[in-house]
Amino acid sequence: MTAEYKVHGAVAVITLNNPPVNGLGLATRTAIVEGLRQAQHDAAVKSIVITGAGKAFSGGADIKEFNSPKALAEPTLHTVIAAVENSDKPVIAAIHTVCMGGGLELALGCHYRVVSPGAQIALPEVKLGILPGAGGTQRLPRVVGLEMALNMIVSGTPVASEKLVKTKLFDELVEGDLMTGALNFAERVAATRPLPKVRDLKVDYPNYEAFLQFSRNTVKAMAGPFPAPLKCVEAVAASITKKFDDGIAFERALFVDLVQTTESKALRHAFFGERAASKLPDVPADTPMRSIKSVAVIGAGTMGGGIAMNFLNAGIPVTILEMKQEALDKGLATIRKNYENTMKKGKLTQEKFDQRLSLITGTMSYEEIGQADLVIEAVFEDMGVKETVFKKLDEVMKPGAILASNTSTLDVDQIANFTKRPQDVIGTHFFSPANVMKLLEIVRGKATAKDVLATTLALSKKIKKTGVVSGVCDGFIGNRMIEQYSRQAGFLLEQGCLPEQVDKAVEKFGFAMGPFRMGDLAGNDIGWYIRKRRYVEKPEVTYSKTADLLCELGRFGQKTSAGWYDYKPGDRKAYPSTVVNDMIIKHSADLGIERKKISDAEIVERLVYALVNEAANILDEGIATRASDIDMVYLTGYGFPLFRGGPMFYADTVGLPNVVMAMEKYAKGPHGEAWQVAPLLARLAAEGKTFN
Ligand code: 3HC
Ligand code: NAI
């Protein structure tokens, strides 16, 4: 059942019951209309309350139904809202917890709205690349005013119900039991006629043209490649410039256009991708969790400090361990400095600053961390050092503690085997800066216990990370893919490109940063170190030597004020470097390569398809659980453009046969050995299927 119907005295109560968030799918919409019909026909019923069961009034339209026949099937949300609005008996929305999107639009169609404190009120459609399509852009301005409605609709940000009680959106704030308050209210208004309708109100805003023009300019500058925000402004503008029904028709037309855009599909893919990533097929949702009330971090360097901050921000106490007092003091001072900077920017209050710092303790003694529920190791990337640390942890940590490693390249199974409890060992691969980057790769070892995985996934949500599970392999999901991308970037330099052209092409495609600017930021010596290992372990894999030559010049990137680009002291701007460009051109000549012009389109194809091909292998090997997990890794950790939905989603939109065809073409060119089409990609393309 998706909505329950009950009668309390003279009040009919329709309770939406479509867990988890009472999404207004076809079955729920049908049940609401049926409930209204029953109430109309029951002479004893004088008024009707609509509310939601569980943890929401309603989270809005059912996003899973978009672009499917169910979305357009009658009764549509428009039909439901019309049925509510045209009801002869007063309809009261009793709102609590979450009232969003179509849920708020339904409430706006009701004659009255009562609400609990603390309910999250929003029209968040813009975050899914669309706009409110069931009257929200026309009705909300009529109750909260043009300016507030525009802000809510363009940003999609929830507003707490108590902040809206003074507006016409709500008729009453119910402090006690919501249903008791709603039933009392319903009885009070049972005889009121005519029934108030939001559509009959007028939007009043003097000199609205100037305000709307200002909004268009501001929103245009902020919207980037997304079409929805500006369309939101146009739709809200119609609430004041057009008659109500014309405004509704205008909003509808914009909604229908937006819902079909790739940008909106990409955003919806990311919404569901983020939630799917927290689930593993063989780890049931009811797997018992281990309780994490305290955390220890080993190593207070670049990563250890940032990792600790995540837990402090979530109110979880952290003990950070170092070998030397000096290193410990330096690490703690960096954490303090980071918080001070945030406070200076006005993003942290003194109270929160004090609270966070009160939760951190430094130590040099393992005895002091033994009772922590979770320990994360972030010491030097060296198997010998990891062995010493994990053997020690095995000795001191209490039974049941989770032992995690932040290693970015080492074998988590080998690390687990340094202990007598490999089931408690897991990889938690944070990205730098660890207190900022959203991505957390959770590395599942062969022996990692299911409750350890479930706990770590839940914890990632608590510390506001996107947790994605990866199997054990060299580079896990993200870095294993980036290696193929960097290889292509190197070949492009040999064949005719300069760093700036490659970076600009990729940044125009939408990446936050091209490969060479990214290398300069992360440190080119890291890739150099990895390649040196590869030359010994996998001599058959070819690389351009250009990056090695760069490192031999000591040009490690921003940290040495010289990398692929030149840098000026105190300035992160990348200036094209004559030294580097000459070095690149000379290297081509030394190899006897005739440099040629390579188009931006080819640059993008080669870099992105290199990612896609490796990702297909990762998926095929079961290192990633699903294609959308790979997309989440790239969207949250590698600056892949959100409006393109991630590498796998992008490949799907290009069409896998087209991707394969391009790869086969590159396979015939120089370094064609890098273009062996992954078996899964070839198979899906041949079968006309997609990754997602
Ligand atoms: N449709 C379908 N499923 C939805 C949904 C929706 N509108 N909103 C949430 N869900 C699902 C999630 O996919 C998730 O499913 P899962 O358990 O199978 O993974 C489950 O509900 C719980 O979601 P969260 O993990 O996000 O739970 P939270 O409690 O953290 O947050 C929420 C709840 C605030 C409602 C959050 O889910 C959210 O922001 N949802 C999106 C709301 C939204 O964008 N509404 C507008 C929809 S578009 C619309 O209404 C069009 C209309 O204008 C015509
Ligand atoms: P870092 O060199 O900045 O910090 C390491 C810290 O560990 C130092 O402060 C050092 O004194 C301390 N340390 C070393 N041995 C120790 C021991 N036995 N006991 C206690 N403390 C010890 O290194 P960074 O960059 O923080 O890297 C740490 C780990 O995180 C490595 O495994 C690395 O591969 C991984 N990582 C690094 C990323 C980065 O961008 N720097 C990104 C993701 C993972």
Side-chain angles (χ1 to χ4, degrees):
M1 201 186 337
T2 50
E4 284 160 15
Y5 179 85
K6 271 195 187 142
V7 179
H8 299 255
V11 184
V13 177
I14 301 172
T15 306
L16 312 182
N17 192 358
N18 182 20
V21 297
N22 299 325
L24 298 166
L26 177 59
T28 313
R29 301 195 303 265
T30 309
I32 300 172
V33 173
E34 175 54 26
L36 287 169
R37 198 189 57 78
Q38 254 181 285
Q40 302 300 339
H41 285 92
D42 185 344
V45 167
K46 303 291 179 212
S47 47
I48 304 156
V49 167
I50 300 183
T51 192
K55 64 172 193 172
F57 172 76
S58 170
D62 188 336
I63 317 167
K64 291 189 184 107
E65 282 187 1
F66 281 13
N67 299 105
S68 84
K70 279 188 175 175
L72 301 173
E74 287 291 352
T76 63
L77 197 48
H78 276 275
T79 306
V80 177
I81 293 170
V84 168
E85 199 167 52
N86 296 329
S87 161
D88 294 337
K89 300 175 182 179
V91 185
I92 300 100
I95 297 166
H96 64 91
T97 330
V98 166
C99 178
M100 293 188 178
L104 180 53
E105 292 175 302
L106 172 66
L108 284 164
C110 295
H111 305 112
Y112 302 98
R113 287 155 297 277
V114 301
V115 68
S116 294
Q120 297 289 298
I121 312 297
L123 287 177
E125 285 85 344
V126 70
K127 294 184 182 169
L128 302 172
I130 51 175
L131 50 66
T137 63
Q138 304 307 297
R139 287 193 180 88
L140 192 65
R142 285 175 157 79
V143 289
V144 301
L146 188 66
E147 204 167 327
M148 178 173 260
L150 195 106
N151 283 338
M152 285 177 71
I153 292 169
V154 168
S155 72
T157 310
V159 179
S161 51
E162 52 270 40
K163 292 208 173 129
L164 293 163
V165 280
K166 292 216 170 72
T167 70
K168 291 182 196 151
L169 177 55
F170 295 123
D171 298 283
E172 195 170 293
L173 183 74
V174 181
E175 296 278 358
D177 177 59
L178 178 64
M179 196 36 68
T180 311
L183 290 174
N184 288 340
F185 187 94
E187 278 165 18
R188 278 204 312 276
V189 297
T192 307
R193 296 295 182 277
L195 290 168
K197 294 180 183 174
V198 172
R199 60 180 289 142
D200 296 336
L201 301 172
K202 287 269 163 295
V203 187
D204 186 22
Y205 197 93
N207 202 7
Y208 64 84
E209 263 310 339
F211 169 69
L212 290 172
Q213 197 46 45
F214 168 78
S215 306
R216 283 184 193 104
N217 296 343
T218 322
V219 170
K220 196 170 175 192
M222 284 163 44
F226 292 101
L230 212 50
K231 302 281 183 199
C232 286
V233 180
E234 294 314 333
V236 172
S239 73
I240 197 160
T241 59
K242 292 187 195 298
K243 290 200 185 106
F244 181 80
D245 288 326
D246 295 342
I248 290 281
F250 183 66
E251 174 199 86
R252 187 77 207 145
L254 294 179
F255 177 88
V256 169
D257 282 350
L258 285 172
V259 85
Q260 284 159 12
T261 58
T262 308
E263 290 84 355
S264 171
K265 288 180 185 158
L267 286 170
R268 270 138 50 199
H269 172 65
F271 177 86
F272 287 119
E274 171 142 24
R275 283 150 185 86
S278 65
K279 299 178 183 81
L280 287 170
D282 64 332
V283 179
D286 58 358
T287 304
M289 305 271 183
R290 299 193 189 181
S291 153
I292 307 294
K293 296 225 162 57
S294 60
V295 172
V297 175
I298 315 292
T302 312
M303 295 305 288
I307 291 170
M309 288 173 74
N310 288 306
F311 294 98
L312 303 178
N313 297 348
I316 301 173
V318 178
T319 307
I320 193 158
L321 183 144
E322 264 287 348
M323 287 180 305
K324 295 202 177 103
Q325 188 65 49
E326 198 189 340
L328 183 59
D329 291 346
K330 191 170 161 220
L332 289 171
T334 306
I335 293 174
R336 167 178 273 275
K337 186 106 199 108
N338 282 339
Y339 281 131
E340 274 168 0
N341 287 342
T342 318
M343 197 158 64
K344 268 189 211 143
K345 287 184 204 150
K347 292 184 185 162
L348 190 71
T349 60
Q350 179 74 45
E351 192 192 348
K352 286 216 164 116
F353 172 87
D354 294 339
Q355 189 191 30
R356 286 179 192 178
L357 285 180
S358 74
L359 291 173
I360 185 139
T361 319
T363 185
M364 286 186 299
S365 152
Y366 273 90
E367 313 313 319
E368 281 185 37
I369 63 164
Q371 289 308 308
D373 299 314
L374 161 71
V375 53
I376 301 179
E377 163 279 309
V379 302
F380 301 137
E381 186 73 341
D382 176 285
M383 197 51 108
V385 183
K386 305 280 187 204
E387 179 172 1
T388 316
V389 170
F390 271 82
K391 284 193 163 148
K392 188 74 193 165
L393 291 176
D394 199 19
E395 272 171 38
V396 300
M397 299 309 295
K398 68 177 181 187
I402 296 179
L403 317 185
S405 171
N406 188 49
T407 180
S408 41
T409 58
L410 300 175
D411 182 341
V412 172
D413 288 325
Q414 199 181 337
I415 294 177
N417 285 332
F418 295 139
T419 74
K420 290 187 233 34
R421 37 174 140 172
Q423 74 282 0
D424 295 340
V425 177
I426 193 164
T428 47
H429 184 212
F430 287 83
F431 286 70
S432 181
N435 53 321
V436 177
M437 294 295 290
K438 279 278 286 173
L439 178 61
L440 174 62
E441 272 185 327
I442 297 173
V443 186
R444 174 181 198 165
K446 277 198 193 81
T448 308
K450 290 184 182 179
D451 63 340
V452 170
L453 272 162
T455 305
T456 311
L457 276 164
L459 195 62
S460 70
K461 193 168 179 187
K462 187 156 189 190
I463 60 171
K464 299 199 166 69
K465 301 283 175 203
T466 301
V468 179
V469 175
S470 168
V472 176
C473 70
D474 201 335
F476 312 130
I477 296 173
N479 284 345
R480 177 167 155 187
M481 285 165 65
I482 210 79
E483 188 172 341
Q484 298 310 318
Y485 169 95
S486 305
R487 265 179 92 201
Q488 282 304 319
F491 294 148
L492 284 167
L493 295 185
E494 274 183 17
Q495 291 157 18
C497 295
L498 293 174
E500 201 187 10
Q501 188 201 353
V502 176
D503 283 349
K504 280 203 167 141
V506 174
E507 286 159 18
K508 213 164 116 205
F509 174 79
F511 267 93
M513 223 183 262
F516 299 108
R517 286 213 297 135
M518 163 102 104
D520 279 358
L521 182 70
N524 296 309
D525 49 326
I526 299 176
W528 194 27
Y529 172 80
I530 294 172
R531 279 193 305 282
K532 282 188 207 160
R533 214 172 70 201
R534 293 275 189 282
Y535 296 152
V536 179
E537 289 170 4
K538 290 189 181 166
E540 70 284 4
V541 182
T542 50
Y543 292 90
S544 161
K545 290 271 182 290
T546 325
D548 299 349
L549 297 175
L550 182 85
C551 289
E552 282 166 21
L553 294 173
R555 300 184 68 108
F556 294 162
Q558 289 189 17
K559 61 184 166 190
T560 53
S561 293
W564 292 106
Y565 297 92
D566 291 336
Y567 296 89
K568 295 178 183 165
D571 178 3
R572 284 170 175 269
K573 190 167 181 293
Y575 296 90
S577 163
T578 319
V579 177
V580 173
N581 293 352
D582 288 350
M583 181 269 284
I584 292 169
I585 292 165
K586 179 175 178 303
H587 183 58
S588 303
D590 290 347
L591 294 174
I593 296 171
E594 194 184 326
R595 293 174 66 79
K596 63 179 178 88
K597 172 144 182 48
I598 298 177
S599 71
D600 286 1
E602 178 171 337
I603 293 172
V604 169
E605 271 194 355
R606 286 173 57 176
L607 292 181
V608 176
Y609 293 173
L611 290 176
V612 170
N613 200 40
E614 191 60 23
N617 285 324
I618 286 173
L619 197 55
D620 217 8
E621 290 166 27
I623 296 293
T625 309
R626 47 182 91 75
S628 64
D629 282 6
I630 296 171
D631 286 334
M632 291 322 296
V633 166
Y634 265 72
L635 291 176
T636 58
Y638 291 83
F640 197 95
L642 178 58
F643 71 99
R644 298 194 190 274
M648 309 308 262
F649 183 87
Y650 176 68
D652 286 344
T653 58
V654 171
L656 299 189
N658 294 325
V659 175
V660 170
M661 248 184 316
M663 289 176 57
E664 286 170 348
K665 181 181 74 187
Y666 296 130
K668 294 196 188 109
H671 290 296
E673 71 278 3
W675 290 111
Q676 287 196 11
V677 179
L680 176 68
L681 173 54
R683 215 161 55 234
L684 293 175
E687 292 169 3
K689 293 189 176 152
T690 53
F691 283 121
N692 282 292

PDB file of all heavy atoms in Angstrom, residues 57 109 131 202 204 214 243 279 308 447 449 485 502 514 520 549 552 569 600 607 684 689:
ATOM      1  N   PHE A  57       7.436  13.786   5.058  1.00  0.00           N
ATOM      2  CA  PHE A  57       6.123  14.077   4.467  1.00  0.00           C
ATOM      3  C   PHE A  57       6.197  13.523   3.053  1.00  0.00           C
ATOM      4  O   PHE A  57       5.509  12.582   2.696  1.00  0.00           O
ATOM      5  CB  PHE A  57       5.866  15.591   4.473  1.00  0.00           C
ATOM      6  CG  PHE A  57       4.624  15.982   3.703  1.00  0.00           C
ATOM      7  CD1 PHE A  57       3.367  15.780   4.236  1.00  0.00           C
ATOM      8  CD2 PHE A  57       4.727  16.534   2.435  1.00  0.00           C
ATOM      9  CE1 PHE A  57       2.216  16.121   3.520  1.00  0.00           C
ATOM     10  CE2 PHE A  57       3.592  16.877   1.713  1.00  0.00           C
ATOM     11  CZ  PHE A  57       2.336  16.670   2.254  1.00  0.00           C
ATOM     12  N   GLY A 109      -0.622  22.858  -3.154  1.00  0.00           N
ATOM     13  CA  GLY A 109      -1.952  22.702  -3.760  1.00  0.00           C
ATOM     14  C   GLY A 109      -3.033  22.560  -2.697  1.00  0.00           C
ATOM     15  O   GLY A 109      -4.222  22.713  -2.976  1.00  0.00           O
ATOM     16  N   LEU A 131      13.659  21.692 -13.061  1.00  0.00           N
ATOM     17  CA  LEU A 131      13.037  22.694 -12.185  1.00  0.00           C
ATOM     18  C   LEU A 131      11.738  22.105 -11.659  1.00  0.00           C
ATOM     19  O   LEU A 131      11.269  21.092 -12.175  1.00  0.00           O
ATOM     20  CB  LEU A 131      12.844  24.021 -12.915  1.00  0.00           C
ATOM     21  CG  LEU A 131      12.189  24.087 -14.294  1.00  0.00           C
ATOM     22  CD1 LEU A 131      10.748  23.693 -14.279  1.00  0.00           C
ATOM     23  CD2 LEU A 131      12.322  25.495 -14.848  1.00  0.00           C
ATOM     24  N   LYS A 202      -1.481  36.967  -5.385  1.00  0.00           N
ATOM     25  CA  LYS A 202      -0.683  37.707  -6.380  1.00  0.00           C
ATOM     26  C   LYS A 202       0.744  37.839  -5.863  1.00  0.00           C
ATOM     27  O   LYS A 202       0.970  37.986  -4.670  1.00  0.00           O
ATOM     28  CB  LYS A 202      -1.253  39.110  -6.578  1.00  0.00           C
ATOM     29  CG  LYS A 202      -2.551  39.148  -7.356  1.00  0.00           C
ATOM     30  CD  LYS A 202      -2.276  39.310  -8.853  1.00  0.00           C
ATOM     31  CE  LYS A 202      -3.467  38.950  -9.728  1.00  0.00           C
ATOM     32  NZ  LYS A 202      -3.902  37.576  -9.717  1.00  0.00           N
ATOM     33  N   ASP A 204       3.713  40.136  -5.383  1.00  0.00           N
ATOM     34  CA  ASP A 204       3.837  41.592  -5.368  1.00  0.00           C
ATOM     35  C   ASP A 204       5.307  41.949  -5.182  1.00  0.00           C
ATOM     36  O   ASP A 204       5.908  41.590  -4.171  1.00  0.00           O
ATOM     37  CB  ASP A 204       2.983  42.112  -4.190  1.00  0.00           C
ATOM     38  CG  ASP A 204       2.946  43.620  -4.191  1.00  0.00           C
ATOM     39  OD1 ASP A 204       3.190  44.208  -5.269  1.00  0.00           O
ATOM     40  OD2 ASP A 204       2.709  44.194  -3.106  1.00  0.00           O
ATOM     41  N   PHE A 214      18.851  41.381 -12.616  1.00  0.00           N
ATOM     42  CA  PHE A 214      20.001  41.168 -11.732  1.00  0.00           C
ATOM     43  C   PHE A 214      20.180  39.659 -11.462  1.00  0.00           C
ATOM     44  O   PHE A 214      21.283  39.114 -11.523  1.00  0.00           O
ATOM     45  CB  PHE A 214      19.780  41.939 -10.419  1.00  0.00           C
ATOM     46  CG  PHE A 214      20.747  41.574  -9.334  1.00  0.00           C
ATOM     47  CD1 PHE A 214      22.045  42.083  -9.342  1.00  0.00           C
ATOM     48  CD2 PHE A 214      20.377  40.712  -8.298  1.00  0.00           C
ATOM     49  CE1 PHE A 214      22.946  41.724  -8.349  1.00  0.00           C
ATOM     50  CE2 PHE A 214      21.263  40.346  -7.305  1.00  0.00           C
ATOM     51  CZ  PHE A 214      22.560  40.871  -7.327  1.00  0.00           C
ATOM     52  N   LYS A 243      -0.288  35.129 -16.296  1.00  0.00           N
ATOM     53  CA  LYS A 243      -1.435  34.650 -15.511  1.00  0.00           C
ATOM     54  C   LYS A 243      -1.091  33.263 -14.981  1.00  0.00           C
ATOM     55  O   LYS A 243      -0.268  32.551 -15.584  1.00  0.00           O
ATOM     56  CB  LYS A 243      -2.662  34.539 -16.413  1.00  0.00           C
ATOM     57  CG  LYS A 243      -3.201  35.864 -16.852  1.00  0.00           C
ATOM     58  CD  LYS A 243      -4.653  35.654 -17.309  1.00  0.00           C
ATOM     59  CE  LYS A 243      -5.198  36.923 -17.882  1.00  0.00           C
ATOM     60  NZ  LYS A 243      -5.300  36.880 -19.353  1.00  0.00           N
ATOM     61  N   LYS A 279      26.230   0.433  -0.947  1.00  0.00           N
ATOM     62  CA  LYS A 279      25.659  -0.914  -0.781  1.00  0.00           C
ATOM     63  C   LYS A 279      26.517  -1.949  -1.501  1.00  0.00           C
ATOM     64  O   LYS A 279      27.005  -1.686  -2.597  1.00  0.00           O
ATOM     65  CB  LYS A 279      24.250  -0.950  -1.370  1.00  0.00           C
ATOM     66  CG  LYS A 279      23.310   0.022  -0.698  1.00  0.00           C
ATOM     67  CD  LYS A 279      21.939  -0.007  -1.352  1.00  0.00           C
ATOM     68  CE  LYS A 279      21.018   1.015  -0.739  1.00  0.00           C
ATOM     69  NZ  LYS A 279      21.188   2.358  -1.241  1.00  0.00           N
ATOM     70  N   ALA A 308      42.466  13.089  10.417  1.00  0.00           N
ATOM     71  CA  ALA A 308      42.013  13.357  11.786  1.00  0.00           C
ATOM     72  C   ALA A 308      40.916  14.431  11.781  1.00  0.00           C
ATOM     73  O   ALA A 308      39.903  14.304  12.479  1.00  0.00           O
ATOM     74  CB  ALA A 308      43.190  13.802  12.643  1.00  0.00           C
ATOM     75  N   ALA A 447      40.254 -10.928   3.210  1.00  0.00           N
ATOM     76  CA  ALA A 447      39.711 -11.434   4.473  1.00  0.00           C
ATOM     77  C   ALA A 447      38.799 -10.437   5.181  1.00  0.00           C
ATOM     78  O   ALA A 447      38.186 -10.765   6.192  1.00  0.00           O
ATOM     79  CB  ALA A 447      40.867 -11.799   5.398  1.00  0.00           C
ATOM     80  N   ALA A 449      36.197  -8.517   7.020  1.00  0.00           N
ATOM     81  CA  ALA A 449      34.885  -8.988   7.479  1.00  0.00           C
ATOM     82  C   ALA A 449      33.768  -8.072   6.984  1.00  0.00           C
ATOM     83  O   ALA A 449      33.983  -6.872   6.782  1.00  0.00           O
ATOM     84  CB  ALA A 449      34.870  -9.043   9.011  1.00  0.00           C
ATOM     85  N   TYR A 485      45.615   7.174 -18.338  1.00  0.00           N
ATOM     86  CA  TYR A 485      45.366   8.559 -18.793  1.00  0.00           C
ATOM     87  C   TYR A 485      46.701   9.312 -18.887  1.00  0.00           C
ATOM     88  O   TYR A 485      47.001   9.957 -19.889  1.00  0.00           O
ATOM     89  CB  TYR A 485      44.415   9.147 -17.762  1.00  0.00           C
ATOM     90  CG  TYR A 485      44.093  10.611 -17.724  1.00  0.00           C
ATOM     91  CD1 TYR A 485      42.954  11.091 -18.375  1.00  0.00           C
ATOM     92  CD2 TYR A 485      44.834  11.502 -16.954  1.00  0.00           C
ATOM     93  CE1 TYR A 485      42.590  12.430 -18.267  1.00  0.00           C
ATOM     94  CE2 TYR A 485      44.479  12.828 -16.849  1.00  0.00           C
ATOM     95  CZ  TYR A 485      43.353  13.293 -17.509  1.00  0.00           C
ATOM     96  OH  TYR A 485      42.999  14.610 -17.385  1.00  0.00           O
ATOM     97  N   VAL A 502      47.266  20.385 -24.114  1.00  0.00           N
ATOM     98  CA  VAL A 502      46.567  19.222 -23.553  1.00  0.00           C
ATOM     99  C   VAL A 502      45.675  19.677 -22.391  1.00  0.00           C
ATOM    100  O   VAL A 502      44.484  19.357 -22.331  1.00  0.00           O
ATOM    101  CB  VAL A 502      47.579  18.153 -23.074  1.00  0.00           C
ATOM    102  CG1 VAL A 502      46.858  16.987 -22.413  1.00  0.00           C
ATOM    103  CG2 VAL A 502      48.438  17.667 -24.239  1.00  0.00           C
ATOM    104  N   GLY A 514      43.765  19.990 -16.073  1.00  0.00           N
ATOM    105  CA  GLY A 514      44.366  19.074 -17.045  1.00  0.00           C
ATOM    106  C   GLY A 514      45.450  18.232 -16.388  1.00  0.00           C
ATOM    107  O   GLY A 514      45.868  18.513 -15.257  1.00  0.00           O
ATOM    108  N   ASP A 520      51.672  18.849 -11.577  1.00  0.00           N
ATOM    109  CA  ASP A 520      52.438  19.874 -10.847  1.00  0.00           C
ATOM    110  C   ASP A 520      51.885  20.088  -9.444  1.00  0.00           C
ATOM    111  O   ASP A 520      52.626  20.394  -8.512  1.00  0.00           O
ATOM    112  CB  ASP A 520      52.399  21.207 -11.620  1.00  0.00           C
ATOM    113  CG  ASP A 520      53.420  21.243 -12.753  1.00  0.00           C
ATOM    114  OD1 ASP A 520      54.164  20.241 -12.899  1.00  0.00           O
ATOM    115  OD2 ASP A 520      53.471  22.244 -13.487  1.00  0.00           O
ATOM    116  N   LEU A 549      62.370  12.780 -17.893  1.00  0.00           N
ATOM    117  CA  LEU A 549      63.341  13.852 -18.187  1.00  0.00           C
ATOM    118  C   LEU A 549      63.011  15.092 -17.355  1.00  0.00           C
ATOM    119  O   LEU A 549      63.900  15.770 -16.842  1.00  0.00           O
ATOM    120  CB  LEU A 549      63.312  14.205 -19.682  1.00  0.00           C
ATOM    121  CG  LEU A 549      63.736  13.070 -20.643  1.00  0.00           C
ATOM    122  CD1 LEU A 549      63.543  13.484 -22.095  1.00  0.00           C
ATOM    123  CD2 LEU A 549      65.209  12.693 -20.401  1.00  0.00           C
ATOM    124  N   GLU A 552      64.181  14.497 -13.903  1.00  0.00           N
ATOM    125  CA  GLU A 552      65.654  14.557 -13.824  1.00  0.00           C
ATOM    126  C   GLU A 552      66.136  15.998 -13.731  1.00  0.00           C
ATOM    127  O   GLU A 552      67.218  16.282 -13.215  1.00  0.00           O
ATOM    128  CB  GLU A 552      66.279  13.854 -15.039  1.00  0.00           C
ATOM    129  CG  GLU A 552      66.247  12.330 -14.897  1.00  0.00           C
ATOM    130  CD  GLU A 552      66.538  11.593 -16.198  1.00  0.00           C
ATOM    131  OE1 GLU A 552      67.136  12.194 -17.111  1.00  0.00           O
ATOM    132  OE2 GLU A 552      66.122  10.412 -16.299  1.00  0.00           O
ATOM    133  N   PRO A 569      57.097  32.756  -7.018  1.00  0.00           N
ATOM    134  CA  PRO A 569      56.896  32.572  -5.571  1.00  0.00           C
ATOM    135  C   PRO A 569      55.547  33.137  -5.119  1.00  0.00           C
ATOM    136  O   PRO A 569      55.149  34.224  -5.556  1.00  0.00           O
ATOM    137  CB  PRO A 569      58.056  33.360  -4.944  1.00  0.00           C
ATOM    138  CG  PRO A 569      59.046  33.565  -6.044  1.00  0.00           C
ATOM    139  CD  PRO A 569      58.315  33.491  -7.342  1.00  0.00           C
ATOM    140  N   ASP A 600      42.115  19.123 -30.519  1.00  0.00           N
ATOM    141  CA  ASP A 600      41.615  19.049 -29.139  1.00  0.00           C
ATOM    142  C   ASP A 600      40.688  17.844 -28.969  1.00  0.00           C
ATOM    143  O   ASP A 600      40.683  17.186 -27.929  1.00  0.00           O
ATOM    144  CB  ASP A 600      40.852  20.333 -28.774  1.00  0.00           C
ATOM    145  CG  ASP A 600      41.817  21.493 -28.543  1.00  0.00           C
ATOM    146  OD1 ASP A 600      43.042  21.289 -28.691  1.00  0.00           O
ATOM    147  OD2 ASP A 600      41.344  22.602 -28.235  1.00  0.00           O
ATOM    148  N   LEU A 607      42.504  10.702 -23.949  1.00  0.00           N
ATOM    149  CA  LEU A 607      42.624  10.689 -22.482  1.00  0.00           C
ATOM    150  C   LEU A 607      41.413  10.028 -21.830  1.00  0.00           C
ATOM    151  O   LEU A 607      41.552   9.186 -20.942  1.00  0.00           O
ATOM    152  CB  LEU A 607      42.806  12.110 -21.953  1.00  0.00           C
ATOM    153  CG  LEU A 607      44.135  12.777 -22.330  1.00  0.00           C
ATOM    154  CD1 LEU A 607      44.211  14.177 -21.741  1.00  0.00           C
ATOM    155  CD2 LEU A 607      45.328  11.977 -21.837  1.00  0.00           C
ATOM    156  N   LEU A 684      30.082  -5.461 -24.575  1.00  0.00           N
ATOM    157  CA  LEU A 684      28.905  -4.591 -24.413  1.00  0.00           C
ATOM    158  C   LEU A 684      28.615  -3.837 -25.707  1.00  0.00           C
ATOM    159  O   LEU A 684      27.453  -3.692 -26.117  1.00  0.00           O
ATOM    160  CB  LEU A 684      29.114  -3.598 -23.265  1.00  0.00           C
ATOM    161  CG  LEU A 684      29.186  -4.197 -21.855  1.00  0.00           C
ATOM    162  CD1 LEU A 684      29.522  -3.116 -20.831  1.00  0.00           C
ATOM    163  CD2 LEU A 684      27.862  -4.861 -21.483  1.00  0.00           C
ATOM    164  N   LYS A 689      24.835  -2.821 -25.682  1.00  0.00           N
ATOM    165  CA  LYS A 689      24.493  -2.510 -24.284  1.00  0.00           C
ATOM    166  C   LYS A 689      25.298  -1.311 -23.778  1.00  0.00           C
ATOM    167  O   LYS A 689      26.158  -0.778 -24.493  1.00  0.00           O
ATOM    168  CB  LYS A 689      24.778  -3.725 -23.410  1.00  0.00           C
ATOM    169  CG  LYS A 689      23.847  -4.895 -23.708  1.00  0.00           C
ATOM    170  CD  LYS A 689      24.015  -5.972 -22.676  1.00  0.00           C
ATOM    171  CE  LYS A 689      23.021  -7.106 -22.912  1.00  0.00           C
ATOM    172  NZ  LYS A 689      23.535  -8.371 -22.430  1.00  0.00           N
TER     173      LYS A 689
END
